[in-house]
PDB file of all heavy atoms in Angstrom:
ATOM      1  N   ASP A   2       5.233 -16.397 -11.202  1.00 44.00           N
ATOM      2  CA  ASP A   2       5.108 -17.812 -11.505  1.00 44.00           C
ATOM      3  C   ASP A   2       3.703 -18.294 -11.124  1.00 44.00           C
ATOM      4  O   ASP A   2       3.238 -18.095 -10.014  1.00 44.00           O
ATOM      5  CB  ASP A   2       6.183 -18.571 -10.709  1.00 44.00           C
ATOM      6  CG  ASP A   2       6.208 -20.040 -11.043  1.00 44.00           C
ATOM      7  OD1 ASP A   2       5.802 -20.433 -12.163  1.00 44.00           O
ATOM      8  OD2 ASP A   2       6.655 -20.805 -10.183  1.00 44.00           O
ATOM      9  N   GLN A  10       0.028 -19.169   0.016  1.00 69.00           N
ATOM     10  CA  GLN A  10       0.776 -17.937   0.212  1.00 69.00           C
ATOM     11  C   GLN A  10       0.584 -16.992  -0.984  1.00 69.00           C
ATOM     12  O   GLN A  10       0.491 -15.786  -0.828  1.00 69.00           O
ATOM     13  CB  GLN A  10       2.289 -18.218   0.381  1.00 69.00           C
ATOM     14  CG  GLN A  10       2.618 -19.084   1.561  1.00 69.00           C
ATOM     15  CD  GLN A  10       2.593 -20.579   1.219  1.00 69.00           C
ATOM     16  OE1 GLN A  10       2.063 -21.007   0.193  1.00 69.00           O
ATOM     17  NE2 GLN A  10       3.161 -21.370   2.098  1.00 69.00           N
ATOM     18  N   ALA A  14      -0.947 -13.262  -0.857  1.00 83.00           N
ATOM     19  CA  ALA A  14      -0.139 -12.181  -1.428  1.00 83.00           C
ATOM     20  C   ALA A  14      -0.931 -11.456  -2.529  1.00 83.00           C
ATOM     21  O   ALA A  14      -0.888 -10.229  -2.596  1.00 83.00           O
ATOM     22  CB  ALA A  14       1.173 -12.727  -1.976  1.00 83.00           C
ATOM     23  N   GLU A  19      -3.440  -6.551  -4.410  1.00 92.00           N
ATOM     24  CA  GLU A  19      -4.618  -5.881  -4.965  1.00 92.00           C
ATOM     25  C   GLU A  19      -5.119  -4.810  -3.985  1.00 92.00           C
ATOM     26  O   GLU A  19      -5.450  -3.687  -4.401  1.00 92.00           O
ATOM     27  CB  GLU A  19      -5.687  -6.943  -5.205  1.00 92.00           C
ATOM     28  CG  GLU A  19      -6.875  -6.507  -5.988  1.00 92.00           C
ATOM     29  CD  GLU A  19      -7.803  -7.701  -6.245  1.00 92.00           C
ATOM     30  OE1 GLU A  19      -8.633  -7.998  -5.330  1.00 92.00           O
ATOM     31  OE2 GLU A  19      -7.682  -8.318  -7.295  1.00 92.00           O
ATOM     32  N   LEU A  30      -5.492  10.148  -3.921  1.00 89.00           N
ATOM     33  CA  LEU A  30      -6.693  10.976  -4.130  1.00 89.00           C
ATOM     34  C   LEU A  30      -7.017  11.816  -2.892  1.00 89.00           C
ATOM     35  O   LEU A  30      -7.211  13.022  -2.991  1.00 89.00           O
ATOM     36  CB  LEU A  30      -7.896  10.098  -4.501  1.00 89.00           C
ATOM     37  CG  LEU A  30      -9.247  10.821  -4.502  1.00 89.00           C
ATOM     38  CD1 LEU A  30      -9.330  11.835  -5.646  1.00 89.00           C
ATOM     39  CD2 LEU A  30     -10.378   9.810  -4.619  1.00 89.00           C
ATOM     40  N   GLY A  68       5.394  -5.521  -7.714  1.00 85.00           N
ATOM     41  CA  GLY A  68       6.756  -5.871  -7.329  1.00 85.00           C
ATOM     42  C   GLY A  68       6.866  -6.308  -5.872  1.00 85.00           C
ATOM     43  O   GLY A  68       7.847  -6.949  -5.484  1.00 85.00           O
ATOM     44  N   HIS A  70       4.788  -8.462  -4.517  1.00 84.00           N
ATOM     45  CA  HIS A  70       4.238  -9.800  -4.399  1.00 84.00           C
ATOM     46  C   HIS A  70       5.190 -10.820  -3.801  1.00 84.00           C
ATOM     47  O   HIS A  70       4.848 -11.524  -2.840  1.00 84.00           O
ATOM     48  CB  HIS A  70       3.673 -10.268  -5.750  1.00 84.00           C
ATOM     49  CG  HIS A  70       2.889 -11.535  -5.672  1.00 84.00           C
ATOM     50  ND1 HIS A  70       3.493 -12.765  -5.683  1.00 84.00           N
ATOM     51  CD2 HIS A  70       1.563 -11.745  -5.536  1.00 84.00           C
ATOM     52  CE1 HIS A  70       2.564 -13.692  -5.581  1.00 84.00           C
ATOM     53  NE2 HIS A  70       1.377 -13.106  -5.497  1.00 84.00           N
ATOM     54  N   VAL A  81      -4.342 -17.597   4.910  1.00 72.00           N
ATOM     55  CA  VAL A  81      -5.262 -16.777   5.676  1.00 72.00           C
ATOM     56  C   VAL A  81      -6.620 -16.955   5.039  1.00 72.00           C
ATOM     57  O   VAL A  81      -6.740 -16.999   3.826  1.00 72.00           O
ATOM     58  CB  VAL A  81      -4.827 -15.277   5.619  1.00 72.00           C
ATOM     59  CG1 VAL A  81      -5.821 -14.415   6.336  1.00 72.00           C
ATOM     60  CG2 VAL A  81      -3.428 -15.096   6.173  1.00 72.00           C
ATOM     61  N   SER A  92     -12.248  -2.804   6.314  1.00 85.00           N
ATOM     62  CA  SER A  92     -12.280  -1.828   7.394  1.00 85.00           C
ATOM     63  C   SER A  92     -11.257  -0.707   7.192  1.00 85.00           C
ATOM     64  O   SER A  92     -11.475   0.423   7.628  1.00 85.00           O
ATOM     65  CB  SER A  92     -12.076  -2.504   8.754  1.00 85.00           C
ATOM     66  OG  SER A  92     -10.781  -3.029   8.850  1.00 85.00           O
ATOM     67  N   ILE A  95     -12.914   1.800   4.913  1.00 85.00           N
ATOM     68  CA  ILE A  95     -13.949   2.532   5.633  1.00 85.00           C
ATOM     69  C   ILE A  95     -13.306   3.616   6.515  1.00 85.00           C
ATOM     70  O   ILE A  95     -13.804   4.730   6.616  1.00 85.00           O
ATOM     71  CB  ILE A  95     -14.823   1.559   6.441  1.00 85.00           C
ATOM     72  CG1 ILE A  95     -15.628   0.686   5.480  1.00 85.00           C
ATOM     73  CG2 ILE A  95     -15.738   2.304   7.412  1.00 85.00           C
ATOM     74  CD1 ILE A  95     -16.316  -0.514   6.141  1.00 85.00           C
ATOM     75  N   PRO A  98     -11.009   7.567   4.805  1.00 81.00           N
ATOM     76  CA  PRO A  98     -11.434   8.967   4.637  1.00 81.00           C
ATOM     77  C   PRO A  98     -11.339   9.786   5.935  1.00 81.00           C
ATOM     78  O   PRO A  98     -11.157  10.994   5.899  1.00 81.00           O
ATOM     79  CB  PRO A  98     -12.902   8.845   4.197  1.00 81.00           C
ATOM     80  CG  PRO A  98     -12.983   7.513   3.570  1.00 81.00           C
ATOM     81  CD  PRO A  98     -12.034   6.639   4.334  1.00 81.00           C
ATOM     82  N   ASP A 110       3.830  21.530  -5.256  1.00 80.00           N
ATOM     83  CA  ASP A 110       4.943  20.843  -5.942  1.00 80.00           C
ATOM     84  C   ASP A 110       5.487  19.664  -5.122  1.00 80.00           C
ATOM     85  O   ASP A 110       6.640  19.299  -5.265  1.00 80.00           O
ATOM     86  CB  ASP A 110       6.055  21.848  -6.228  1.00 80.00           C
ATOM     87  CG  ASP A 110       6.636  22.472  -4.963  1.00 80.00           C
ATOM     88  OD1 ASP A 110       5.985  22.386  -3.912  1.00 80.00           O
ATOM     89  OD2 ASP A 110       7.731  23.045  -5.056  1.00 80.00           O
ATOM     90  N   LEU A 133      12.650  -4.597  -8.912  1.00 61.00           N
ATOM     91  CA  LEU A 133      12.272  -3.191  -9.008  1.00 61.00           C
ATOM     92  C   LEU A 133      12.436  -2.476  -7.648  1.00 61.00           C
ATOM     93  O   LEU A 133      12.549  -1.260  -7.597  1.00 61.00           O
ATOM     94  CB  LEU A 133      10.805  -3.061  -9.456  1.00 61.00           C
ATOM     95  CG  LEU A 133      10.485  -3.593 -10.839  1.00 61.00           C
ATOM     96  CD1 LEU A 133       8.976  -3.540 -11.077  1.00 61.00           C
ATOM     97  CD2 LEU A 133      11.209  -2.812 -11.896  1.00 61.00           C
ATOM     98  N   ILE A 135      14.478  -1.664  -4.152  1.00 60.00           N
ATOM     99  CA  ILE A 135      15.868  -1.526  -3.764  1.00 60.00           C
ATOM    100  C   ILE A 135      15.961  -1.608  -2.245  1.00 60.00           C
ATOM    101  O   ILE A 135      15.460  -0.712  -1.560  1.00 60.00           O
ATOM    102  CB  ILE A 135      16.450  -0.201  -4.258  1.00 60.00           C
ATOM    103  CG1 ILE A 135      16.310  -0.108  -5.782  1.00 60.00           C
ATOM    104  CG2 ILE A 135      17.901  -0.029  -3.812  1.00 60.00           C
ATOM    105  CD1 ILE A 135      16.566   1.269  -6.353  1.00 60.00           C
ATOM    106  N   GLN A 144      15.207  13.112  11.358  1.00 69.00           N
ATOM    107  CA  GLN A 144      14.776  12.940  12.740  1.00 69.00           C
ATOM    108  C   GLN A 144      13.692  11.874  12.773  1.00 69.00           C
ATOM    109  O   GLN A 144      13.025  11.631  11.774  1.00 69.00           O
ATOM    110  CB  GLN A 144      14.173  14.263  13.250  1.00 69.00           C
ATOM    111  CG  GLN A 144      15.120  15.439  13.200  1.00 69.00           C
ATOM    112  CD  GLN A 144      16.228  15.304  14.236  1.00 69.00           C
ATOM    113  OE1 GLN A 144      15.988  14.799  15.344  1.00 69.00           O
ATOM    114  NE2 GLN A 144      17.418  15.715  13.884  1.00 69.00           N
TER     115      GLN A 144
END
Side-chain angles (χ1 to χ4, degrees):
D2 185 26
Q10 300 89 344
E19 191 176 84
L30 170 68
H70 189 276
V81 177
S92 67
I95 292 168
D110 61 344
L133 298 173
I135 302 167
Q144 301 290 324

